[in-house]
C-alpha cells in the first residue's frame, strides 16, 4: 500500500487533502490522472447500469436533505459505531475492531492503559442551515446516496412512466464521521458512492437479489479485474444493517487483506415504508398490470464505493516487472495495467527526436487523435525513459514517430503490457486504437 500511495502522489493520482497545513484526516484530493481515472470508473458503472439496462434511469439528488429523512431511514437512531477511548494515551478505537480480550479487560491495545466504557457514536456529520445554530436548524451531510433515490421514487414513476421492476442509479458524495481512517483512500470521511436501487414486487425480491448478485460479479469480470482477488462475504445476523433482510459483500484482496468493495442488499420495504410513515405520503405503487394492486415495493440495492473502486483498480493494476529490453537485464519497471477503457491516458505520442520535423509530425498526430482519445505528448528525454513514465501512468499505447515515419507514413505502436512494437500506418491509427480497446484482454 505504501508503494501505491507514493506512486499515486508522485504521478498525480491522489494527494492528501490540505497537505500544506499538515493534512486533513479522512479527506483526499484527486490530481490530474486521478480525476481522469475516477471519472472513467464512474462512466463505466453509469454505462453498465443505465445505457445497458432499459429499465434503469439516473438521478442526481441533493446532498442536503430534510432532516426527517434521516429519522425515517433509521440513521439518527442506528447509524452508530461502538467507540472506546484510552484514558492514558488518548487513542480512540472502534470497539468491534479490537480483540475481545482487550475489550473485556478494558486494556488499551497500544499502551495497556485503561479503556473507557463502550459508547455509541453516530457517524453522520451534523451542521446547521441558516444563521441560527439551534436544534431546529440541524441538517446532516448524507451518509449514503440511497435515500435521495427513495424520496424521489414517486417523482420518477410519474415523470418517466417506469413500471416495476425498475431501477434508479445515482453517483454522488457521501460523508461519514469515521473513527478510524487508514489504508489510504479505503475508508474516508468524504467519499463517493455508486448506488442503484431496484424496485420489485414483494415476493419477487429473493429472485432479483440473486440476479443482481450475478450481474454485479459479472461487471467486475468485464472490467478485467483479477477474479481470484474477488470473493463473496455473506452478512451474518450480527452484521446486517438495520434495513437489510439479506446482504452480501463483494470483497477484494487489497494489500491489507480481504475487504468490502461493494454491498448488495435486500432492503425489503423498510425504507419506503418508513418514509411513507414519516412523511404521511402514500408511497404505494399502483400495479396497473395487476388489477391495480397496491403495494410498497421491495428494494434490492447495489452499493459500490467509487473512491474505493479507484483504490481497488490501482491495486489491481499495479505491477513491478523485470524487463530485459535494451540489453539491460537489471531493468525494472513499474506498470499500471489498467484496462484501456479506464486508463487516464489512452495513448502517448512520442517523437524519437525533437528535430528534423519529427516533433511537428507527432503534434499533428496528437491533434488528430485527441478528438477521440485522451492523448499525451512527451518529447523530453530518452525514449526508454519516456516509455517507463507512460507505463507508470498506465498508458496502454505509445505511438512513436521516427525517421521511417517521414518516409512511409507509419509509426510504431508500442503495447504497455507486452512492450511489443508493431508498425501501423498513421491513417489507420484511430481505427486501430478503437479496435485494441474493444478487444483488450489482460494477460498479465
Ligand atoms: N446504501 C448502502 C450503504 O451505504 P455501505 O455498506 O455502508 O452501504 C456501501 O456502503 C459502499 O460504500 C461500501 O461497500 C464501500 O465501497 C463504500 N463506503 C462505505 N463507507 C465508506 C468510507 N468511509 N470510505 C470509502 N468508501 C466507503
Amino acid at each position: 500500500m505504501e508503494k501505491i500511495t507514493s506512486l499515486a502522489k508522485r504521478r498525480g493520482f491522489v494527494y492528501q487533502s490540505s497537505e500544506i497545513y499538515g493534512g486533513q484526516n479522512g479527506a483526499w484530493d484527486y490530481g490530474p490522472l486521478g480525476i481522469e481515472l475516477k471519472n472513467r470508473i464512474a462512466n463505466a458503472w453509469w454505462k453498465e447500469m443505465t445505457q445497458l439496462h432499459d429499465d434503469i434511469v439516473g438521478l442526481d439528488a441533493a446532498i442536503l436533505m430534510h432532516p426527517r429523512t434521516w429519522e425515517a431511514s433509521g440513521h439518527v437512531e442506528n447509524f452508530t459505531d461502538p467507540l472506546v477511548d484510552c484514558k492514558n494515551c488518548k487513542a480512540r478505537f472502534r470497539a468491534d475492531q479490537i480483540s475481545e480480550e482487550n475489550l473485556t479487560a478494558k486494556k488499551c491495545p497500544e499502551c495497556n492503559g485503561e479503556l473507557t466504557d463502550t459508547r455509541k457514536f453516530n457517524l453522520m456529520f451534523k451542521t446547521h442551515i441558516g444563521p441560527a445554530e439551534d436544534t431546529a436548524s440541524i441538517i446532516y451531510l448524507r451518509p449514503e446516496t440511497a435515500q435521495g433515490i427513495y424520496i424521489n421514487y414517486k417523482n420518477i414513476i410519474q415523470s418517466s412512466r417506469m413500471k416495476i421492476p425498475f431501477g434508479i442509479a445515482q453517483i454522488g458524495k457521501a460523508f461519514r464521521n469515521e473513527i478510524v481512517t487508514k489504508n489510504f483512500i479505503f475508508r474516508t470521511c468524504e467519499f463517493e458512492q455508486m448506488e442503484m436501487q431496484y424496485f420489485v414486487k414483494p415476493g419477487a425480491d429473493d429472485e432479483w437479489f440473486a440476479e443482481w448478485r450475478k450481474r454485479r460479479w459479472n461487471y467486475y469480470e468485464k472490467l478485467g479485474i483479477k477474479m481470484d482477488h474477488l470473493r463473496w462475504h455473506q452478512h451474518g445476523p450480527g452484521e446486517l444493517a438495520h434495513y437489510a433482510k439479506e446482504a452480501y459483500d463483494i470483497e477484494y484482496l487489497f494489500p491489507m487483506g480481504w475487504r468490502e468493495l461493494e454491498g448488495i442488499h435486500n432492503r425489503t420495504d423498510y425504507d419506503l415504508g418508513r418514509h411513507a410513515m414519516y412523511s404521511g405520503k402514500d408511497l404505494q405503487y399502483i400495479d396497473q398490470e395487476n388489477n391495480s394492486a397496491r403495494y410498497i415495493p421491495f428494494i434490492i440495492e447495489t452499493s459500490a464505493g467509487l473512491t474505493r473502486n479507484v483504490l481497488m483498480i490501482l491495486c489491481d493494476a499495479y505491477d513491478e516487472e523485470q524487463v530485459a529490453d535494451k540489453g539491460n537485464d537489471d531493468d525494472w519497471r513499474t506498470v499500471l495495467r489498467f484496462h484501456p477503457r479506464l486508463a487516464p491516458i489512452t495513448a502517448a505520442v512520442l517523437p524519437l527526436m525533437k528535430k528534423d520535423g519529427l516533433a511537428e509530425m507527432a503534434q499533428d498526430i496528437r491533434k488528430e487523435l485527441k478528438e477521440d482519445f485522451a492523448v499525451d505528448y512527451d518529447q523530453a528525454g530518452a525514449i526508454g525513459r519516456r516509455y517507463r513514465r507512460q507505463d507508470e501512468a498506465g498508458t496502454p499505447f505509445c505511438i512513436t514517430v521516427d525517421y521511417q515515419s517521414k518516409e512511409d507514413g507509419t509509426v510504431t505502436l508500442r503495447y504497455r503490457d507486452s512492450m511489443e512494437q508493431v508498425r501501423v500506418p498513421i491513417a489507420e491509427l484511430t481505427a486501430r486504437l478503437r479496435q485494441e480497446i474493444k478487444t483488450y484482454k489482460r494477460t498479465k
Side-chain angles (χ1 to χ4, degrees):
M1 189 62 95
E2 260 170 45
K3 284 182 177 175
I4 288 166
T5 312
S6 115
L7 171 71
K9 179 173 179 196
R10 193 170 71 250
R11 295 311 311 264
F13 283 94
V14 183
Y15 316 116
Q16 195 183 13
S17 162
S18 319
E19 199 181 350
I20 62 166
Y21 291 106
Q24 176 55 51
N25 221 5
W28 297 85
D29 299 338
Y30 290 77
L33 293 186
I35 177 64
E36 295 293 342
L37 178 63
K38 180 152 74 73
N39 283 346
R40 296 210 205 313
I41 294 171
N43 290 342
W45 183 89
W46 192 257
K47 176 177 176 187
E48 176 72 23
M49 288 308 204
T50 61
Q51 193 174 325
L52 300 182
H53 283 96
D54 299 339
D55 55 353
I56 302 180
V57 290
L59 175 76
D60 184 17
I63 289 172
L64 299 178
M65 297 167 74
H66 195 288
R68 290 280 281 170
T69 308
W70 306 108
E71 289 170 32
S73 69
H75 283 79
V76 170
E77 192 184 341
N78 297 313
F79 197 55
T80 55
D81 272 349
L83 178 71
V84 287
D85 287 303
C86 174
K87 291 181 184 171
N88 182 44
C89 70
K90 312 291 177 213
R92 181 159 286 171
F93 306 95
R94 262 175 64 173
D96 55 349
Q97 288 181 353
I98 59 175
S99 75
E100 198 59 48
E101 196 188 323
N102 281 81
L103 198 61
T104 350
K106 288 193 161 183
K107 200 168 73 180
C108 173
E110 274 172 20
C111 76
N112 289 334
E114 194 192 343
L115 292 177
T116 59
D117 289 335
T118 307
R119 65 180 193 282
K120 278 182 167 185
F121 170 75
N122 195 296
L123 272 79
M124 280 198 295
F125 280 104
K126 217 190 244 183
T127 184
H128 295 273
I129 194 156
E133 292 199 2
D134 53 21
T135 46
S137 68
I138 284 178
I139 197 155
Y140 299 96
L141 297 188
R142 68 180 177 199
E144 61 169 10
T145 61
Q147 299 301 327
I149 294 182
Y150 305 144
I151 62 171
N152 274 296
Y153 118 96
K154 274 253 152 156
N155 281 338
I156 286 179
I157 288 178
Q158 280 152 13
S159 57
S160 307
R161 296 192 291 146
M162 302 305 285
K163 290 196 175 69
I164 270 178
F166 74 94
I168 304 174
Q170 176 169 223
I171 299 177
K173 290 241 177 188
F175 302 84
R176 296 182 189 177
N177 200 353
E178 298 282 359
I179 302 163
V180 183
T181 53
K182 55 180 181 186
N183 294 319
F184 192 28
I185 53 172
F186 178 80
R187 186 181 304 285
T188 52
C189 293
E190 176 178 346
F191 57 100
E192 281 173 78
Q193 289 187 314
M194 307 184 285
E195 297 201 304
M196 193 282 303
Q197 313 296 323
Y198 200 73
F199 299 76
V200 305
K201 204 170 156 188
D205 52 314
D206 290 337
E207 200 181 313
W208 276 110
F209 183 68
E211 176 61 25
W212 275 107
R213 279 186 57 202
K214 204 162 65 194
R215 290 183 188 178
R216 293 307 301 154
W217 185 264
N218 293 344
Y219 169 76
Y220 288 109
E221 190 157 30
K222 214 161 99 178
L223 272 193
I225 305 307
K226 292 176 189 153
M227 293 311 280
D228 59 352
H229 279 49
L230 289 178
R231 71 174 189 193
W232 286 106
H233 166 73
Q234 183 177 16
H235 285 213
E239 271 176 288
L240 280 174
H242 59 274
Y243 48 71
K245 164 179 154 185
E246 201 179 2
Y248 277 83
D249 293 337
I250 296 180
E251 291 187 338
Y252 182 79
L253 186 54
F254 287 96
M256 65 281 187
W258 289 99
R259 296 284 191 285
E260 175 184 346
L261 175 68
E262 162 162 358
I264 293 116
H265 313 127
N266 181 344
R267 294 182 73 134
T268 69
D269 54 0
Y270 174 85
D271 298 276
L272 290 181
R274 296 271 295 192
H275 286 304
M277 190 161 83
Y278 277 70
S279 67
K281 298 283 182 316
D282 181 5
L283 296 183
Q284 292 182 98
Y285 176 77
I286 304 164
D287 195 342
Q288 269 143 9
E289 280 159 20
N290 222 332
N291 299 325
S292 294
R294 287 168 171 264
Y295 53 81
I296 297 271
F298 271 44
I299 290 168
I300 307 303
E301 168 182 65
T302 73
S303 175
L306 168 54
T307 41
R308 196 170 288 182
N309 259 262
V310 172
L311 180 61
M312 181 276 283
I313 295 286
L314 278 170
C315 295
D316 204 69
Y318 187 90
D319 197 11
E320 288 171 7
E321 189 181 36
Q322 190 167 26
V323 285
D325 61 338
K326 306 254 175 229
N328 181 359
D329 290 319
D330 296 330
D331 206 357
W332 280 80
R333 68 169 184 156
T334 299
V335 53
L336 291 175
R337 300 187 192 279
F338 294 133
H339 190 292
R341 272 173 65 200
L342 301 182
I345 304 165
T346 313
V349 185
L350 321 168
L352 190 62
M353 300 286 183
K354 282 182 240 172
K355 55 184 186 179
D356 302 328
L358 297 188
E360 289 77 7
M361 203 169 170
Q363 285 285 15
D364 286 346
I365 294 173
R366 179 205 196 183
K367 207 167 149 202
E368 180 73 29
L369 291 179
K370 74 181 185 184
E371 288 292 331
D372 297 282
F373 310 100
V375 185
D376 192 18
Y377 174 85
D378 186 3
Q379 60 175 28
I383 191 74
R385 295 267 295 280
R386 282 185 266 166
Y387 286 148
R388 292 287 173 278
R389 277 205 290 271
Q390 294 296 336
D391 290 343
E392 220 185 33
T395 308
F397 310 109
C398 283
I399 294 157
T400 308
V401 178
D402 56 15
Y403 288 102
Q404 191 182 332
S405 311
K406 285 177 69 174
E407 281 164 26
D408 64 4
T410 65
V411 286
T412 56
L413 177 64
R414 178 206 185 248
Y415 296 90
R416 173 198 65 202
D417 291 350
S418 62
M419 295 189 298
E420 234 179 82
Q421 300 187 13
V422 292
R423 287 211 82 88
V424 177
I426 294 168
E428 289 171 20
L429 271 175
T430 300
R432 179 66 178 259
L433 288 183
R434 262 206 201 109
Q435 184 64 13
E436 296 287 354
I437 296 168
K438 209 166 174 188
T439 56
Y440 177 81
K441 284 258 164 343
R442 185 166 169 174
T443 48
K444 287 190 181 175

